[in-house]
Amino acid sequence: MSELLKNRYEFVLYFDVENGNPNGDPDAGNMPRIDPQTGVGIVSDVCMKRKVRNYIEYAHEGNDRFDIYVTEGAVLNNKQKEAYVDSNITTKDNKNDKLTAQAYMCNRFYDVRTFGAVMDTGDFKCGQVRGPIQLCFSKSTDVIFPQELTITRMASTTEKENASENRTMGRKYIVPYGLYRLEGFVSAKFAQKTGFTEDDLSIFFEALKQMFEHDHSAARGKMSARKLIVFKHDSELGNAPSAELFELIHAELKDPTKPPRAYSHYTITVNKDDVPSGVNLLEML
């Protein structure tokens, strides 16, 4: 196992969608999430964490310390029970034993020591863990214009249905094009509490770059990671405010008179000369 994290980080990921729905809103008929006052597209932090979890599960299957706690269809309380069984804990109310179970969960499950988890349910409680990596909602650089497309079902579900008459109509929502920006934070102090290491961070950045390549579907269209910029501080507590660092990165349309339809229509500018002392800027993509 590599060393625990000793530096604070911030990062910015630009990703785009072409003719797809990056994050549907179930309260709005699965339309792409949007800020109704500005028309800016939104992708939730939970959606992005799901993609990271899925990539880790695919890429590091069977490796120690890379199990995933929050998986589809999982019974979370059963996974917490395993922490007690594998650690030979026979009591349920002892504080020290609860901390032992919590340490087990952090060591075994990558997403617990990365994003944190609430594990205080059921008979086998493992407490609450605050993870070192926190994500904001992603926002599109410009206003998006979701389109509603009508689709037709040509096949029958049962033999009783007449295939020639079964033309059930459905709907599909897409964003013709959108460039989104995700901002995130990495705390060295919380990393030391969960056992999050330098190798864990490298794998997280690997996941940000690769997660869309293993998440393709008809609904999501063409999604790609385009640019990943990381700020590494020289200290645990940091050497500059995160807002000041985020303001050094801008994405602008080359021709504002035309609607964006490709990543090449944008210019991303990084003001490297204005990076504060004690902070290193790393372009990972």
Side-chain angles (χ1 to χ4, degrees):
M1 187 174 69
S2 65
E3 292 185 353
L4 296 179
L5 211 64
K6 296 180 180 179
N7 304 83
R8 199 186 97 189
Y9 292 81
E10 280 85 34
F11 59 89
V12 175
L13 173 71
Y14 280 98
F15 64 93
D16 62 357
V17 58
E18 181 179 335
N19 294 325
N21 185 352
N23 187 201
D25 185 350
D27 290 329
N30 208 44
M31 284 185 59
R33 296 183 189 273
I34 194 170
D35 181 339
Q37 291 184 304
T38 64
V40 168
I42 296 172
V43 174
S44 71
D45 60 326
V46 176
C47 175
M48 300 304 291
K49 289 178 181 178
R50 177 76 272 151
K51 297 182 190 303
V52 170
R53 286 185 171 103
N54 288 346
Y55 176 80
I56 298 297
E57 188 174 16
Y58 302 149
H60 299 276
E61 183 179 5
N63 292 350
D64 292 340
R65 288 172 50 82
F66 291 100
D67 283 349
I68 297 299
Y69 175 63
V70 182
T71 56
E72 184 176 356
V75 180
L76 300 182
N77 286 349
N78 288 347
K79 294 187 177 183
Q80 294 166 202
K81 180 179 179 180
E82 291 176 13
Y84 279 74
V85 174
D86 292 349
S87 301
N88 297 316
I89 300 173
T90 56
T91 59
K92 297 180 181 179
D93 299 322
N94 185 284
K95 182 178 180 180
N96 291 332
D97 287 343
K98 184 176 179 180
L99 292 175
T100 299
Q102 185 178 110
Y104 172 94
M105 297 295 289
C106 289
N107 184 66
R108 175 180 170 184
F109 295 104
Y110 180 85
D111 54 338
V112 173
R113 67 175 178 275
T114 302
F115 301 127
V118 177
M119 302 175 290
D120 249 348
T121 59
D123 294 330
F124 300 91
K125 295 179 173 58
C126 299
Q128 298 183 24
V129 176
R130 187 172 179 180
I133 294 184
Q134 301 298 328
L135 307 179
C136 299
F137 274 32
S138 305
K139 295 183 179 181
S140 64
T141 303
D142 291 291
V143 173
I144 63 170
F145 294 92
Q147 295 181 5
E148 181 182 357
L149 307 179
T150 301
I151 56 177
T152 306
R153 187 180 72 161
M154 302 300 294
S156 299
T157 303
T158 67
E159 293 181 357
K160 293 182 179 180
E161 295 178 346
N162 187 330
S164 62
E165 297 178 358
N166 185 37
R167 295 295 181 92
T168 306
M169 309 300 286
R171 294 176 179 178
K172 184 176 183 178
Y173 295 100
I174 65 167
V175 176
Y177 184 80
L179 179 65
Y180 288 75
R181 170 173 167 149
L182 167 68
E183 298 175 349
F185 313 86
V186 185
S187 166
K189 287 297 186 182
F190 286 117
Q192 292 161 16
K193 293 181 179 180
T194 67
F196 189 82
T197 68
E198 295 282 352
D199 284 349
D200 288 332
L201 182 64
S202 297
I203 290 171
F204 173 75
F205 288 141
E206 170 195 307
L208 290 184
K209 292 187 287 184
Q210 297 291 333
M211 60 187 177
F212 296 113
E213 303 302 322
H214 304 274
D215 191 55
H216 295 301
S217 73
R220 282 183 282 278
K222 179 182 176 183
M223 295 186 69
S224 304
R226 292 295 187 174
K227 199 165 188 66
L228 176 59
I229 300 139
V230 177
F231 296 100
K232 179 180 180 181
H233 297 254
D234 288 345
S235 65
E236 294 180 347
L237 297 180
N239 300 81
S242 56
E244 180 181 335
L245 300 177
F246 290 145
E247 290 173 356
L248 299 176
I249 306 170
H250 303 276
E252 295 181 351
L253 274 173
K254 295 178 181 177
D255 186 353
T257 65
K258 297 180 180 180
R261 287 297 182 269
Y263 178 66
S264 59
H265 294 175
Y266 281 92
T267 299
I268 295 181
T269 304
V270 182
N271 298 327
K272 298 179 181 180
D273 294 337
D274 295 331
V275 176
S277 176
V279 179
N280 296 316
L281 186 148
L282 310 171
E283 294 192 49
M284 296 190 171
L285 184 64

